[in-house]
Amino acid sequence: MANPIFSSLPTTIFEEMSGLARTLGAVNLGQGFPDDPGPEPIRARAADAVLNGYNQYPPMAGLPELRQAVAAHYARTQGLDLDWETEVAVTSGATEALAASFLGLIEPGDEVIVFQPLYDAYVPLIRRAGGIPRFVRLEPPGWRFDRTSLEAAITPRTRYVVLNNPINPAGVVLPAEDLALLAELCVAHDLTAICDEVWEQVVFDGAVHRPLMAFPGMRDRCVKIGSAGKMFGLTGWKVGFLCAAPELTRTLARTHQFLTFTTPPNLQAAVAWGLENSAGWFADMPRDLERSRDRLTEGLRREGFVVLSSQGTYFLNLDLPGSGIHEPDRAFALRAVKEAGVASIPVSALYEEAPVTGILRLCFSKRDATLDAGVERLARARELSISAGRGSAQASRRTPA
């Protein structure tokens, strides 16, 4: 009797790997959450709001003070001119914002372009809304799309495109020319873009996040989704933002009211304060993560791994064949967690079709000791994999023709 779209889904790769890490006592470089508890002043504001603030239903669209703070933050950091009353709504995390966008906008039979590898919530939510996903395959090491691949995915029934930028799991901050191309095609084909921009504050090496909404023709055909959890390293808070033109926002807010209705007011109040008072955090946080990225990268390269570039997010990727590992990524990830005690994410799990099978994603938003232990254990997993490969080759040579 269950709906097959959800009942047939396997356990997510994130829960599978984190569950194995818990059971086996493994170092967890898989799921994307920091070891750091997040900025103390913002947590203190939330605690004070629980004890001394308002704990009943807040306004459905979000506290005015948070919606104002979101609009002001995006004006300062990205040059966007948003009307907080008509163009900003607060959701219970970015995934709920995505659900509101898909369920509120997609009509049965609408085709939706998605780029893979992808966040695993996209496809089941699109299908539950009646949409038909059309996949554009990105490949390492550049993870770029081009005019040919985009135009091949567009049909007369295409209505939406889902863009994740910076890209998880690729660790890429899309350059302006890619975004301009996508904007051009959205305008030419009358497409609305649903933009998952939760990693917008987590960019490195001078990279600049550019919201698709700011490109010509996109102001009224773009839904911008942000996440306080990613901005402040408070992933369990589940406070998200929806920003769009008034007509879109009205529809999205009405969808949100029948999903979670609202979001805890104490957390909203703390996030509002944080957006207005955290210039130091927004400057220091990316630098600290960049240092952690470099520590993990350098350690892995010393052990013989080929590490792909990471310009943003909490993640970097290993090229397994380039590192001398000839197992598929999932097989190596299971070997690593079960035999060497380190959890990771095989990127093939984030493809719906035609997966890339030689890339392993690692989370570097961890303490130095965790990263160093992860390097040591991944090196052990690599030795085990290479040794197993040699053993298989020798056994094959001994087998009579």
Side-chain angles (χ1 to χ4, degrees):
M1 300 295 291
N3 186 289
I5 291 173
F6 291 110
S7 63
S8 63
L9 289 174
T11 301
T12 72
I13 190 65
F14 307 106
E15 181 58 27
E16 179 185 6
M17 287 297 170
S18 288
L20 285 169
R22 289 190 295 269
T23 300
L24 300 172
V27 171
N28 192 350
L29 300 185
Q31 198 164 8
F33 57 86
D35 281 348
D36 186 273
E40 191 276 336
I42 299 176
R43 292 185 286 120
R45 285 274 167 168
D48 181 69
V50 169
L51 294 175
N52 303 305
Y54 185 74
N55 287 281
Q56 308 308 325
Y57 293 127
M60 179 272 292
L63 292 180
E65 64 200 82
L66 177 52
R67 293 159 68 200
Q68 291 166 3
V70 169
H73 174 78
Y74 286 138
R76 286 192 303 271
T77 61
Q78 297 177 18
L80 296 175
D81 181 16
L82 296 166
D83 182 335
W84 72 268
E85 291 187 277
T86 63
E87 297 187 313
V88 180
V90 179
T91 60
S92 293
T95 301
E96 196 245 312
L98 287 163
S101 300
F102 297 149
L103 297 174
L105 298 179
I106 295 171
E107 294 190 51
D110 286 348
E111 293 187 358
V112 184
I113 294 174
V114 288
F115 299 94
Q116 51 174 8
L118 45 74
Y119 178 44
D120 61 357
Y122 294 164
V123 171
L125 288 170
I126 289 168
R127 288 182 171 145
R128 190 66 187 92
I132 301 168
R134 300 270 297 181
F135 299 103
V136 174
R137 185 177 187 264
L138 306 182
E139 299 181 9
W143 310 99
R144 301 277 295 274
F145 54 78
D146 57 23
R147 183 178 296 273
T148 300
S149 63
L150 289 176
E151 290 182 338
I154 297 172
T155 78
R157 302 190 70 176
T158 307
R159 297 288 180 269
Y160 301 97
V161 58
V162 180
L163 178 70
N164 175 217
N165 181 40
I167 302 174
N168 168 25
V172 168
V173 179
L174 286 173
E177 56 265 33
D178 290 25
L179 296 169
L181 170 62
L182 183 58
E184 174 197 330
L185 293 177
C186 284
V187 173
H189 295 275
D190 193 23
L191 308 181
T192 296
I194 299 168
C195 297
D196 176 355
E197 300 187 357
V198 300
W199 299 103
E200 58 198 346
Q201 294 291 154
V202 189
V203 297
F204 314 127
D205 303 323
V208 176
H209 171 74
R210 296 174 174 85
L212 190 64
M213 180 181 278
F215 282 73
M218 295 305 296
R219 182 63 174 79
D220 294 332
R221 60 173 68 249
C222 193
V223 177
K224 175 179 170 62
I225 294 172
S227 167
K230 299 299 192 297
M231 287 180 174
F232 295 115
L234 297 165
T235 59
W237 279 27
K238 305 300 291 180
V239 178
F241 320 128
L242 274 170
C243 305
E247 184 177 352
L248 284 170
T249 299
R250 277 194 299 273
T251 297
L252 299 173
R254 287 168 181 165
T255 310
H256 158 69
Q257 74 179 334
F258 292 115
L259 289 172
T260 62
F261 178 65
T262 190
T263 300
N266 23 68
L267 300 183
Q268 289 193 55
V271 171
W273 183 89
L275 288 172
E276 295 293 330
N277 294 277
S278 297
W281 168 265
F282 288 131
D284 294 341
M285 174 266 293
R287 286 200 294 265
D288 291 342
L289 285 168
E290 189 176 311
R291 185 192 62 78
S292 295
R293 177 204 62 180
D294 292 347
R295 185 183 188 95
L296 182 58
T297 297
E298 290 162 8
L300 290 165
R301 285 177 174 161
R302 283 196 301 270
E303 297 293 343
F305 287 97
V306 172
V307 183
L308 302 184
S309 172
S310 171
Q311 301 168 303
T313 76
Y314 291 162
F315 310 112
L316 59 78
N317 289 291
L318 298 182
D319 176 346
L320 296 182
S323 304
I325 297 164
H326 299 293
E327 290 182 297
D329 56 356
R330 178 173 171 80
F332 179 75
L334 289 172
R335 181 189 298 278
V337 71
K338 292 178 179 179
E339 299 180 28
V342 56
S344 58
I345 298 296
V347 169
S348 62
L350 306 179
Y351 284 79
E352 184 73 10
E353 59 184 29
V356 171
T357 60
I359 302 295
L360 199 72
R361 193 195 80 170
L362 303 174
C363 177
F364 54 76
S365 60
K366 307 294 181 182
R367 297 185 180 93
D368 288 353
T370 303
L371 298 175
D372 294 346
V375 169
E376 179 182 348
R377 296 180 186 203
L378 282 164
R380 174 62 178 155
R382 178 174 176 269
E383 291 172 2
L384 291 169
S385 178
I386 292 172
S387 176
R390 290 196 195 103
S392 296
Q394 290 169 356
S396 177
R397 285 195 295 271
R398 288 195 299 267
T399 302

